[in-house]
Amino acid sequence: MSDRMVLLAVNCSSGHHIQPPSGRLQLAESFTRHLRPLRANIKMTSRNLSDGTIKHAETLKEINATSKVPHVMTVAGSDSGAGAGIQADLKACAALGVFCSSVITAVTAQNTCGVQGIHQVPENFIYEQLKSVLSDMHVDVVKTGMLPSVGVVKVLCDSLKEFPVKALVVDPVMVSTSGDALSGPPVLDILRTCYLLECLKKLILHLGHRKDLLPMADIVTPNLKEASTLLGGAEVKTVADMHSAAKSIYSLGPRNVLVKGGHLPDSSDAIDVFFDGVHSVELQAPRIRAYNTHGTGCTLASCIAAELAKGSPMLPAVQAAKQFVEQALEHSQEFLIGSGPQRPFNHLFMLQTGDVKQPQKPFKPADLFLYAVTDSGMNKKWGRSISEAVKAAIEGGATIVQLREKEAETKKFVEAAEECKEICKSFGVPLLINDRIDVALACDADGVHVGQSDMSVPMSRKLLGPGKIIGVSCKTPEQARKAWLDGADYIGCGGMFPTNTKQNNPTIGLAGLKAVCESSPLPVVAIGGIGIKNAPLVMESGFPNLSGVAVVSALFDRESISEETRRLKSVISKVVSN
């Protein structure tokens, strides 16, 4: 039976013919696309399990490794009203295309009017849940919510020592939005003394090296009341207080802190403060006046966890999560459930709007290794189409492609970009568009590259969404720091050397490249006058965050693009491997 037939069979099983809305069909088709390779692997497995021995488990592990789905495990309480807790976490992760398992720490009786009762799950059974999932299902990120007792916190710590994961997102849930206490004073004490983080420090000492340990407490996400409680009752009522609180909480051990300002009085904006130990960033957005706000904190933390599971760096993950919550609130105005003041909001708004897209492969710094930038003039000189040039570069080993077409008419550019997108997709190579956000949207490119005088990174992100790649050109440390704070994914640094493609572009040389690389944690690709003779000089510099070289003339102003690309990649690969 085909995947489409399976879907229709499910829809028609009740005796009714259901025509799924376009958004739901797109989502279903996205899931079936992910299932096809897994189904093929399972068929192969069945042929290899005739003896019924331990090979079964080993083969299944191989399938998990080759068919990896981003996986978040939420450790939290159950909300019978389905607005917050486990239920919000499951819906948020599903909306972002991430698998979510759950460990229930408590069962609550609550609705839109408040919390009527709490029943804690026995600690030994919480451990059984943790062990069942962590030992078998390859969890990427753990997100915590309601931890109702000191014992539960200790059980979680012990389990994460036994089964380490890539990241831990701690939402220190203490009080529900309606004001009901969800954690007792002993839990507040243990959070305040950072038992989780002390476990991490001891484990680091035991293993002897930080990089050998998948980190715990990558980010803590308190609201104003929770931040105050963690700091022993310190006042947190202004943006300045939030900055101070973020730094104070950071001093307790977590790698990143996000203090949420949703309840900030007298503020027309929703302001959150992010601190990573070096930079303190205010994340601002217009405040959305809505009744459907129950579960926003749980959802934000779960979205951060989902983006981390997909491979996103921390700040972009936080920005993407904040944007998701904003969009969900905007689409919840008519979501009328319950008679109380704390109504749930619409996590699955994309199904109603039809805005469901296939999950994009996460951006990796390694994608920048050999960055091919097309040039319309060179294509004309050699009598090539844009798509022919792109295909030749990829066949030669280009790891990412940028279409920089200054002369093409918009209609023809979009048509060419759509062709290039299909070519890049077939090779698994990201396609970026230079400057033109409209063209990137029209062809569903993987992202854009913008200059200092082009559309800003925040505006580009708002138009493109959190899943797209955004690169920005930088010459100075100040521009590099701003690119990181604005949420760019990478920096294009140059011009490195004199070039014919931008004759009036001042060069910065290796000294300028070093300054930019040292000013931001973003991956950097060097560009400008780079060819087979000087590319090794750039790559062997060993500057922090330098991920690759971007090339124009040395590839596209040559008779054989694929051969020149192959030669250049071979040269820089040897430099990196030595």
Side-chain angles (χ1 to χ4, degrees), residues 256 274-281 283 313-316 319 457 461 472 474 477-491 519-523 545:
N256 300 274
F274 173 83
F275 185 64
D276 68 346
V278 179
H279 301 97
S280 188
V281 186
L283 305 174
M314 183 59 73
L315 182 56
Q319 292 169 321
V457 171
R461 179 70 69 198
V472 59
C474 298
E478 292 75 21
Q479 292 173 349
R481 283 191 289 269
K482 187 175 188 304
W484 180 76
L485 296 175
D486 284 346
D489 294 295
Y490 75 89
I491 288 170
S519 300
S520 162
L522 290 177
N545 306 315

mmCIF file of all heavy atoms in Angstrom, residues 256 274-281 283 313-316 319 457 461 472 474 477-491 519-523 545:
data_model
loop_
_atom_site.group_PDB
_atom_site.id
_atom_site.type_symbol
_atom_site.label_atom_id
_atom_site.label_comp_id
_atom_site.label_asym_id
_atom_site.label_seq_id
_atom_site.Cartn_x
_atom_site.Cartn_y
_atom_site.Cartn_z
ATOM 1 N N ASN A 256 24.053 29.349 29.740
ATOM 2 C CA ASN A 256 23.277 30.461 29.205
ATOM 3 C C ASN A 256 22.066 30.691 30.095
ATOM 4 O O ASN A 256 21.558 29.760 30.727
ATOM 5 C CB ASN A 256 22.797 30.167 27.781
ATOM 6 C CG ASN A 256 23.930 29.914 26.812
ATOM 7 O OD1 ASN A 256 24.498 30.837 26.237
ATOM 8 N ND2 ASN A 256 24.284 28.642 26.620
ATOM 9 N N PHE A 274 18.869 37.746 27.317
ATOM 10 C CA PHE A 274 19.703 36.554 27.123
ATOM 11 C C PHE A 274 21.139 36.888 27.505
ATOM 12 O O PHE A 274 21.674 37.913 27.097
ATOM 13 C CB PHE A 274 19.633 36.114 25.660
ATOM 14 C CG PHE A 274 20.574 34.994 25.310
ATOM 15 C CD1 PHE A 274 20.226 33.673 25.559
ATOM 16 C CD2 PHE A 274 21.804 35.244 24.708
ATOM 17 C CE1 PHE A 274 21.086 32.624 25.224
ATOM 18 C CE2 PHE A 274 22.662 34.219 24.373
ATOM 19 C CZ PHE A 274 22.305 32.906 24.634
ATOM 20 N N PHE A 275 21.779 36.002 28.268
ATOM 21 C CA PHE A 275 23.160 36.213 28.685
ATOM 22 C C PHE A 275 23.928 34.910 28.551
ATOM 23 O O PHE A 275 23.503 33.862 29.044
ATOM 24 C CB PHE A 275 23.222 36.714 30.125
ATOM 25 C CG PHE A 275 24.606 37.061 30.591
ATOM 26 C CD1 PHE A 275 25.322 38.094 30.014
ATOM 27 C CD2 PHE A 275 25.213 36.341 31.626
ATOM 28 C CE1 PHE A 275 26.611 38.412 30.435
ATOM 29 C CE2 PHE A 275 26.491 36.654 32.059
ATOM 30 C CZ PHE A 275 27.192 37.698 31.464
ATOM 31 N N ASP A 276 25.081 34.985 27.860
ATOM 32 C CA ASP A 276 25.884 33.777 27.641
ATOM 33 C C ASP A 276 27.217 33.817 28.376
ATOM 34 O O ASP A 276 28.115 33.026 28.101
ATOM 35 C CB ASP A 276 26.135 33.579 26.145
ATOM 36 C CG ASP A 276 27.042 34.653 25.558
ATOM 37 O OD1 ASP A 276 27.266 35.682 26.227
ATOM 38 O OD2 ASP A 276 27.521 34.473 24.419
ATOM 39 N N GLY A 277 27.349 34.736 29.307
ATOM 40 C CA GLY A 277 28.595 34.879 30.037
ATOM 41 C C GLY A 277 29.482 35.980 29.497
ATOM 42 O O GLY A 277 30.384 36.448 30.193
ATOM 43 N N VAL A 278 29.204 36.430 28.269
ATOM 44 C CA VAL A 278 29.966 37.519 27.656
ATOM 45 C C VAL A 278 29.034 38.626 27.188
ATOM 46 O O VAL A 278 29.172 39.782 27.562
ATOM 47 C CB VAL A 278 30.796 37.008 26.456
ATOM 48 C CG1 VAL A 278 31.555 38.161 25.806
ATOM 49 C CG2 VAL A 278 31.764 35.917 26.901
ATOM 50 N N HIS A 279 28.050 38.249 26.371
ATOM 51 C CA HIS A 279 27.134 39.217 25.793
ATOM 52 C C HIS A 279 25.781 39.159 26.499
ATOM 53 O O HIS A 279 25.260 38.081 26.792
ATOM 54 C CB HIS A 279 26.924 38.951 24.308
ATOM 55 C CG HIS A 279 28.195 39.004 23.510
ATOM 56 N ND1 HIS A 279 28.908 37.868 23.171
ATOM 57 C CD2 HIS A 279 28.883 40.047 22.995
ATOM 58 C CE1 HIS A 279 29.971 38.209 22.476
ATOM 59 N NE2 HIS A 279 29.987 39.522 22.353
ATOM 60 N N SER A 280 25.219 40.342 26.739
ATOM 61 C CA SER A 280 23.877 40.449 27.280
ATOM 62 C C SER A 280 22.995 41.056 26.197
ATOM 63 O O SER A 280 23.239 42.175 25.734
ATOM 64 C CB SER A 280 23.872 41.335 28.534
ATOM 65 O OG SER A 280 22.617 41.301 29.172
ATOM 66 N N VAL A 281 21.987 40.308 25.764
ATOM 67 C CA VAL A 281 21.191 40.690 24.600
ATOM 68 C C VAL A 281 19.732 40.869 25.006
ATOM 69 O O VAL A 281 19.154 40.002 25.656
ATOM 70 C CB VAL A 281 21.282 39.617 23.495
ATOM 71 C CG1 VAL A 281 20.564 40.088 22.233
ATOM 72 C CG2 VAL A 281 22.725 39.267 23.199
ATOM 73 N N LEU A 283 16.040 40.833 23.733
ATOM 74 C CA LEU A 283 15.213 40.332 22.641
ATOM 75 C C LEU A 283 13.847 40.986 22.767
ATOM 76 O O LEU A 283 13.094 40.698 23.696
ATOM 77 C CB LEU A 283 15.095 38.815 22.721
ATOM 78 C CG LEU A 283 16.431 38.048 22.745
ATOM 79 C CD1 LEU A 283 16.189 36.569 22.972
ATOM 80 C CD2 LEU A 283 17.210 38.281 21.470
ATOM 81 N N PRO A 313 22.507 26.707 16.918
ATOM 82 C CA PRO A 313 23.235 27.330 18.030
ATOM 83 C C PRO A 313 22.242 27.937 19.023
ATOM 84 O O PRO A 313 21.056 28.123 18.710
ATOM 85 C CB PRO A 313 24.071 28.411 17.335
ATOM 86 C CG PRO A 313 24.134 28.005 15.902
ATOM 87 C CD PRO A 313 22.840 27.311 15.615
ATOM 88 N N MET A 314 22.738 28.304 20.214
ATOM 89 C CA MET A 314 21.835 28.687 21.291
ATOM 90 C C MET A 314 21.030 29.959 21.003
ATOM 91 O O MET A 314 19.795 29.953 21.110
ATOM 92 C CB MET A 314 22.626 28.853 22.589
ATOM 93 C CG MET A 314 21.745 29.179 23.789
ATOM 94 S SD MET A 314 20.492 27.911 24.117
ATOM 95 C CE MET A 314 21.516 26.604 24.789
ATOM 96 N N LEU A 315 21.699 31.064 20.660
ATOM 97 C CA LEU A 315 20.949 32.307 20.475
ATOM 98 C C LEU A 315 19.938 32.201 19.344
ATOM 99 O O LEU A 315 18.777 32.600 19.516
ATOM 100 C CB LEU A 315 21.898 33.486 20.254
ATOM 101 C CG LEU A 315 21.208 34.859 20.094
ATOM 102 C CD1 LEU A 315 20.313 35.164 21.286
ATOM 103 C CD2 LEU A 315 22.244 35.962 19.901
ATOM 104 N N PRO A 316 20.291 31.668 18.163
ATOM 105 C CA PRO A 316 19.266 31.475 17.132
ATOM 106 C C PRO A 316 18.122 30.577 17.587
ATOM 107 O O PRO A 316 16.973 30.784 17.193
ATOM 108 C CB PRO A 316 20.049 30.850 15.971
ATOM 109 C CG PRO A 316 21.443 31.343 16.147
ATOM 110 C CD PRO A 316 21.646 31.390 17.636
ATOM 111 N N GLN A 319 15.870 32.777 19.653
ATOM 112 C CA GLN A 319 15.149 33.705 18.786
ATOM 113 C C GLN A 319 14.039 33.003 18.016
ATOM 114 O O GLN A 319 12.931 33.533 17.877
ATOM 115 C CB GLN A 319 16.135 34.381 17.834
ATOM 116 C CG GLN A 319 17.103 35.327 18.534
ATOM 117 C CD GLN A 319 18.241 35.777 17.636
ATOM 118 O OE1 GLN A 319 18.768 34.995 16.843
ATOM 119 N NE2 GLN A 319 18.639 37.030 17.758
ATOM 120 N N VAL A 457 19.652 41.971 9.355
ATOM 121 C CA VAL A 457 19.480 40.560 9.705
ATOM 122 C C VAL A 457 18.154 40.307 10.430
ATOM 123 O O VAL A 457 17.425 39.375 10.080
ATOM 124 C CB VAL A 457 20.676 40.059 10.547
ATOM 125 C CG1 VAL A 457 20.399 38.658 11.093
ATOM 126 C CG2 VAL A 457 21.948 40.058 9.714
ATOM 127 N N ARG A 461 15.310 37.887 8.976
ATOM 128 C CA ARG A 461 14.836 36.738 9.746
ATOM 129 C C ARG A 461 13.319 36.769 9.883
ATOM 130 O O ARG A 461 12.642 35.728 9.784
ATOM 131 C CB ARG A 461 15.485 36.729 11.127
ATOM 132 C CG ARG A 461 15.062 35.586 12.030
ATOM 133 C CD ARG A 461 15.614 34.261 11.527
ATOM 134 N NE ARG A 461 17.057 34.189 11.680
ATOM 135 C CZ ARG A 461 17.816 33.321 11.038
ATOM 136 N NH1 ARG A 461 17.279 32.468 10.192
ATOM 137 N NH2 ARG A 461 19.123 33.303 11.217
ATOM 138 N N VAL A 472 26.025 37.441 6.693
ATOM 139 C CA VAL A 472 26.169 38.885 6.582
ATOM 140 C C VAL A 472 27.642 39.221 6.351
ATOM 141 O O VAL A 472 28.534 38.608 6.941
ATOM 142 C CB VAL A 472 25.622 39.608 7.836
ATOM 143 C CG1 VAL A 472 26.332 39.147 9.093
ATOM 144 C CG2 VAL A 472 25.691 41.109 7.695
ATOM 145 N N CYS A 474 30.972 41.296 6.765
ATOM 146 C CA CYS A 474 31.563 42.092 7.840
ATOM 147 C C CYS A 474 33.039 42.349 7.557
ATOM 148 O O CYS A 474 33.761 41.439 7.143
ATOM 149 C CB CYS A 474 31.431 41.366 9.188
ATOM 150 S SG CYS A 474 29.738 41.068 9.721
ATOM 151 N N PRO A 477 35.454 44.216 13.598
ATOM 152 C CA PRO A 477 34.989 43.497 14.783
ATOM 153 C C PRO A 477 33.618 43.977 15.251
ATOM 154 O O PRO A 477 32.808 43.168 15.709
ATOM 155 C CB PRO A 477 36.075 43.798 15.825
ATOM 156 C CG PRO A 477 37.306 44.039 15.022
ATOM 157 C CD PRO A 477 36.836 44.750 13.791
ATOM 158 N N GLU A 478 33.361 45.287 15.113
ATOM 159 C CA GLU A 478 32.072 45.818 15.545
ATOM 160 C C GLU A 478 30.936 45.229 14.712
ATOM 161 O O GLU A 478 29.883 44.854 15.238
ATOM 162 C CB GLU A 478 32.070 47.351 15.438
ATOM 163 C CG GLU A 478 33.001 48.065 16.413
ATOM 164 C CD GLU A 478 34.469 47.952 16.025
ATOM 165 O OE1 GLU A 478 34.760 47.688 14.824
ATOM 166 O OE2 GLU A 478 35.330 48.096 16.920
ATOM 167 N N GLN A 479 31.142 45.156 13.408
ATOM 168 C CA GLN A 479 30.130 44.551 12.541
ATOM 169 C C GLN A 479 29.948 43.069 12.853
ATOM 170 O O GLN A 479 28.824 42.554 12.815
ATOM 171 C CB GLN A 479 30.526 44.743 11.078
ATOM 172 C CG GLN A 479 30.485 46.187 10.600
ATOM 173 C CD GLN A 479 31.042 46.350 9.193
ATOM 174 O OE1 GLN A 479 31.654 45.433 8.638
ATOM 175 N NE2 GLN A 479 30.837 47.533 8.607
ATOM 176 N N ALA A 480 31.035 42.390 13.174
ATOM 177 C CA ALA A 480 30.965 40.965 13.496
ATOM 178 C C ALA A 480 30.174 40.718 14.772
ATOM 179 O O ALA A 480 29.345 39.816 14.846
ATOM 180 C CB ALA A 480 32.370 40.385 13.625
ATOM 181 N N ARG A 481 30.421 41.536 15.789
ATOM 182 C CA ARG A 481 29.677 41.384 17.047
ATOM 183 C C ARG A 481 28.193 41.659 16.826
ATOM 184 O O ARG A 481 27.333 40.963 17.369
ATOM 185 C CB ARG A 481 30.255 42.318 18.115
ATOM 186 C CG ARG A 481 31.557 41.811 18.725
ATOM 187 C CD ARG A 481 31.943 42.607 19.951
ATOM 188 N NE ARG A 481 32.386 43.950 19.610
ATOM 189 C CZ ARG A 481 33.646 44.286 19.353
ATOM 190 N NH1 ARG A 481 34.583 43.352 19.384
ATOM 191 N NH2 ARG A 481 33.973 45.526 19.066
ATOM 192 N N LYS A 482 27.884 42.677 16.043
ATOM 193 C CA LYS A 482 26.480 43.002 15.769
ATOM 194 C C LYS A 482 25.805 41.874 14.992
ATOM 195 O O LYS A 482 24.635 41.551 15.245
ATOM 196 C CB LYS A 482 26.373 44.308 14.983
ATOM 197 C CG LYS A 482 24.937 44.801 14.806
ATOM 198 C CD LYS A 482 24.894 46.150 14.125
ATOM 199 C CE LYS A 482 23.487 46.728 14.130
ATOM 200 N NZ LYS A 482 22.495 45.829 13.506
ATOM 201 N N ALA A 483 26.528 41.265 14.057
ATOM 202 C CA ALA A 483 25.960 40.148 13.293
ATOM 203 C C ALA A 483 25.537 39.018 14.227
ATOM 204 O O ALA A 483 24.461 38.422 14.064
ATOM 205 C CB ALA A 483 26.973 39.645 12.270
ATOM 206 N N TRP A 484 26.377 38.726 15.207
ATOM 207 C CA TRP A 484 26.033 37.664 16.157
ATOM 208 C C TRP A 484 24.828 38.052 17.010
ATOM 209 O O TRP A 484 23.891 37.263 17.186
ATOM 210 C CB TRP A 484 27.229 37.357 17.053
ATOM 211 C CG TRP A 484 26.935 36.267 18.040
ATOM 212 C CD1 TRP A 484 26.867 34.935 17.802
ATOM 213 C CD2 TRP A 484 26.637 36.439 19.423
ATOM 214 N NE1 TRP A 484 26.553 34.257 18.953
ATOM 215 C CE2 TRP A 484 26.400 35.146 19.955
ATOM 216 C CE3 TRP A 484 26.548 37.551 20.270
ATOM 217 C CZ2 TRP A 484 26.083 34.947 21.289
ATOM 218 C CZ3 TRP A 484 26.232 37.344 21.602
ATOM 219 C CH2 TRP A 484 26.007 36.048 22.108
ATOM 220 N N LEU A 485 24.834 39.274 17.521
ATOM 221 C CA LEU A 485 23.737 39.720 18.366
ATOM 222 C C LEU A 485 22.427 39.792 17.590
ATOM 223 O O LEU A 485 21.349 39.601 18.158
ATOM 224 C CB LEU A 485 24.062 41.084 18.983
ATOM 225 C CG LEU A 485 25.251 41.117 19.942
ATOM 226 C CD1 LEU A 485 25.542 42.536 20.397
ATOM 227 C CD2 LEU A 485 24.995 40.217 21.150
ATOM 228 N N ASP A 486 22.517 40.083 16.289
ATOM 229 C CA ASP A 486 21.314 40.180 15.460
ATOM 230 C C ASP A 486 20.768 38.815 15.062
ATOM 231 O O ASP A 486 19.668 38.727 14.519
ATOM 232 C CB ASP A 486 21.600 40.990 14.191
ATOM 233 C CG ASP A 486 21.669 42.485 14.458
ATOM 234 O OD1 ASP A 486 21.239 42.919 15.546
ATOM 235 O OD2 ASP A 486 22.147 43.232 13.569
ATOM 236 N N GLY A 487 21.539 37.751 15.290
ATOM 237 C CA GLY A 487 21.051 36.412 14.993
ATOM 238 C C GLY A 487 21.463 35.853 13.654
ATOM 239 O O GLY A 487 20.813 34.928 13.140
ATOM 240 N N ALA A 488 22.550 36.384 13.043
ATOM 241 C CA ALA A 488 23.050 35.812 11.794
ATOM 242 C C ALA A 488 23.605 34.413 12.052
ATOM 243 O O ALA A 488 23.954 34.062 13.184
ATOM 244 C CB ALA A 488 24.137 36.703 11.200
ATOM 245 N N ASP A 489 23.688 33.625 10.986
ATOM 246 C CA ASP A 489 24.207 32.263 11.105
ATOM 247 C C ASP A 489 25.692 32.179 10.794
ATOM 248 O O ASP A 489 26.379 31.283 11.291
ATOM 249 C CB ASP A 489 23.438 31.326 10.170
ATOM 250 C CG ASP A 489 21.991 31.175 10.580
ATOM 251 O OD1 ASP A 489 21.745 30.633 11.667
ATOM 252 O OD2 ASP A 489 21.110 31.620 9.829
ATOM 253 N N TYR A 490 26.188 33.081 9.948
ATOM 254 C CA TYR A 490 27.611 33.082 9.633
ATOM 255 C C TYR A 490 28.022 34.466 9.140
ATOM 256 O O TYR A 490 27.175 35.332 8.850
ATOM 257 C CB TYR A 490 27.949 32.014 8.575
ATOM 258 C CG TYR A 490 27.533 32.386 7.174
ATOM 259 C CD1 TYR A 490 28.392 33.089 6.325
ATOM 260 C CD2 TYR A 490 26.280 32.041 6.688
ATOM 261 C CE1 TYR A 490 28.004 33.443 5.036
ATOM 262 C CE2 TYR A 490 25.890 32.385 5.404
ATOM 263 C CZ TYR A 490 26.759 33.093 4.588
ATOM 264 O OH TYR A 490 26.369 33.446 3.325
ATOM 265 N N ILE A 491 29.327 34.670 9.033
ATOM 266 C CA ILE A 491 29.889 35.939 8.569
ATOM 267 C C ILE A 491 30.714 35.688 7.312
ATOM 268 O O ILE A 491 31.501 34.738 7.256
ATOM 269 C CB ILE A 491 30.780 36.564 9.655
ATOM 270 C CG1 ILE A 491 29.927 37.099 10.811
ATOM 271 C CG2 ILE A 491 31.663 37.677 9.092
ATOM 272 C CD1 ILE A 491 30.738 37.504 12.026
ATOM 273 N N SER A 519 36.151 38.201 17.171
ATOM 274 C CA SER A 519 35.156 39.106 17.751
ATOM 275 C C SER A 519 33.776 38.507 17.884
ATOM 276 O O SER A 519 32.875 39.138 18.443
ATOM 277 C CB SER A 519 35.066 40.379 16.895
ATOM 278 O OG SER A 519 36.304 41.034 16.842
ATOM 279 N N SER A 520 33.584 37.308 17.368
ATOM 280 C CA SER A 520 32.249 36.722 17.356
ATOM 281 C C SER A 520 32.358 35.206 17.365
ATOM 282 O O SER A 520 33.302 34.651 16.805
ATOM 283 C CB SER A 520 31.488 37.192 16.111
ATOM 284 O OG SER A 520 30.379 36.365 15.840
ATOM 285 N N PRO A 521 31.385 34.513 17.979
ATOM 286 C CA PRO A 521 31.400 33.043 17.939
ATOM 287 C C PRO A 521 30.859 32.469 16.637
ATOM 288 O O PRO A 521 30.847 31.253 16.457
ATOM 289 C CB PRO A 521 30.495 32.663 19.120
ATOM 290 C CG PRO A 521 29.562 33.807 19.255
ATOM 291 C CD PRO A 521 30.343 35.033 18.874
ATOM 292 N N LEU A 522 30.415 33.331 15.713
ATOM 293 C CA LEU A 522 29.844 32.842 14.464
ATOM 294 C C LEU A 522 30.921 32.242 13.552
ATOM 295 O O LEU A 522 32.054 32.723 13.529
ATOM 296 C CB LEU A 522 29.151 33.979 13.715
ATOM 297 C CG LEU A 522 27.857 34.538 14.312
ATOM 298 C CD1 LEU A 522 27.354 35.703 13.478
ATOM 299 C CD2 LEU A 522 26.796 33.453 14.405
ATOM 300 N N PRO A 523 30.566 31.211 12.781
ATOM 301 C CA PRO A 523 31.512 30.710 11.775
ATOM 302 C C PRO A 523 31.776 31.778 10.721
ATOM 303 O O PRO A 523 30.895 32.577 10.394
ATOM 304 C CB PRO A 523 30.795 29.493 11.183
ATOM 305 C CG PRO A 523 29.350 29.692 11.502
ATOM 306 C CD PRO A 523 29.307 30.452 12.787
ATOM 307 N N ASN A 545 37.053 29.980 14.503
ATOM 308 C CA ASN A 545 35.780 30.060 13.788
ATOM 309 C C ASN A 545 35.913 30.165 12.270
ATOM 310 O O ASN A 545 34.893 30.255 11.585
ATOM 311 C CB ASN A 545 34.916 31.237 14.293
ATOM 312 C CG ASN A 545 34.704 31.202 15.782
ATOM 313 O OD1 ASN A 545 34.407 30.146 16.339
ATOM 314 N ND2 ASN A 545 34.873 32.337 16.458
#
